Amino acid sequence: MVLMIVCIAMNLSVVIALIGGFICFFAVAVARKYKPRHVFKMSLEGVKTSWVVLKLLFLIGCLTALWRASGTIAFFVYYGMDIITPQAFIIIAFLLTALMSYFLGSSFGVTSTAGVMLMILARSGGVNEFITAGAILSGAYFGDRSSPVSSSAFLTATMSGVSPEENKKWLLKTGVFPLVVTGIIFTVLSFKNPISGVSQSVMESLSGTYDISLWAAVPAIVLLVLPWMKVSVSNTILISAITSFVVAVIFQNQSPAALVTYMVTGYELDSAALGDIMAGGGVISMVEVMIVVILSSSYAGIFEETGMLNSLKDKMDKAATKIGLFGLQLVFSVLSVMIFCNQTIATILSVQLLGDTYKRKGASNEELAMDIGNSLITICGLVPWSVACAVPLSMLDIGNGAIPWCIFLYMNPICYIFTKRLFFKKDKENQCKNGTPLEWSSFVCFI
């Protein structure tokens, strides 16, 4: 924790703190009479559990670069901005980023492309910048928590022992109500904050650089349709990536050699208007996240074998009895994000520390995954010094004044508190028998 604070204060990578953490936990295990060789073996066993996640991150890195090169992202941005009317700018900004994030599965990917363009339009059109940024981040995190290709959703499902396909369906079901509520609020704000006009320069740059015909949308259509046909997430991403590769070669006149390079190092565009906005993606953009997953998973192996966290788990059981499972998840989410400032680390720790408590209270793995998806994943975007909040705000060149307008990020857990019982009725009956309070009462305790 001290190393994490130092890294944040000195603007260093959290990987440094995680490496230091590994050394600390390794030393504790050795001090408890475990042989160093055995501790290394524990670590490797933990890393093995993250292989599926690492494979997905690799594929997502390739896909994000190929979607840029194939014009798929340009397609959504162009036609999304094309339907903007003065009184509907903010709600369209929210819906466009929500749609794109669902296809792309990355809050950063959407924020750095469509988000930047929408902020340029907002500033030139006299719209409240903080509300616009809040709408962009609200839409971006809708897909970050529920997209078929979201690394955070896939990590949550894998660590919780839940099928990613089933997890996606549950996340969509629990996300509808807060999505509608957030949409209504942004609709009202749109009419109160109309845009004076939409600049055509960005539109002309997009249409002049890319072939934005319907073919550019095919990779996204593949990504949307295949999961509903029972195709696995990894295969869906792979097929979408192959489709993007073909579209980029045929319709965007990209060379296969250049595309292979983009898949590794990220897409590059020689354009003064769009170069900085459209560039990015590639496996290299996922390297730090992959290292975080590897190190965090190595912790899991050590914790599991040594029982290092057992005393904390007992305290979690007592807390759940007082404030409920979701109340406990909310408290843990806030604290873990504030300390570790990272969505991935907080998710892995949540499963490690709270998983047994959920089982002892009669809750299923699906409920654990849903509680994480409807709390921690969006709460990360509300902590100013967390990566999930600081990086998107920096991309949009906006201050922390935008955080109160990130309505979906806090509306999601609030709505879930009052609707959770509808989705896990049998589990709630079992938990009530075990003395665990209902979610609405745990929310009152949490407040």
Side-chain angles (χ1 to χ4, degrees), residues 90-110:
I90 292 174
I91 182 60
I92 288 176
F94 169 61
L95 295 176
L96 175 61
T97 51
L99 180 65
M100 285 189 64
S101 67
Y102 183 79
F103 283 123
L104 196 58
S106 168
S107 56
F108 288 6
V110 172

Side-chain angles (χ1 to χ4, degrees), residues 257-281:
L259 291 174
V260 172
T261 302
Y262 295 154
M263 288 165 62
V264 178
T265 62
Y267 176 64
E268 296 179 1
L269 178 64
D270 186 15
S271 169
L274 302 174
D276 292 337
I277 297 173
M278 297 302 294

Side-chain angles (χ1 to χ4, degrees), residues 55-67:
K55 182 176 72 171
L56 181 77
L57 290 173
F58 178 87
L59 289 172
I60 289 175
C62 296
L63 183 68
T64 53
L66 290 173
W67 270 35

Side-chain angles (χ1 to χ4, degrees), residues 174-231:
T174 57
V176 170
F177 186 38
L179 182 72
V180 172
V181 173
T182 303
I184 292 172
I185 295 172
F186 279 131
T187 299
V188 174
L189 291 171
S190 285
F191 280 94
K192 291 187 175 183
N193 295 272
I195 190 171
S196 60
V198 177
S199 172
Q200 293 298 311
S201 61
V202 174
M203 305 281 281
E204 292 171 358
S205 297
L206 286 170
S207 60
T209 305
Y210 297 95
D211 178 345
I212 51 176
S213 65
L214 190 59
W215 286 107
V218 171
I221 296 171
V222 168
L223 196 67
L224 178 66
V225 173
L226 291 186
W228 297 103
M229 299 173 66
K230 307 298 182 181
V231 179

Side-chain angles (χ1 to χ4, degrees), residues 226-278:
L226 291 186
W228 297 103
M229 299 173 66
K230 307 298 182 181
V231 179
S232 68
V233 173
S234 57
N235 286 337
T236 297
I237 296 175
L238 180 61
I239 294 170
S240 180
I242 294 171
T243 307
S244 300
F245 194 99
V246 174
V247 170
V249 171
I250 297 176
F251 296 97
Q252 309 300 347
N253 299 318
Q254 296 282 355
S255 71
L259 291 174
V260 172
T261 302
Y262 295 154
M263 288 165 62
V264 178
T265 62
Y267 176 64
E268 296 179 1
L269 178 64
D270 186 15
S271 169
L274 302 174
D276 292 337
I277 297 173
M278 297 302 294

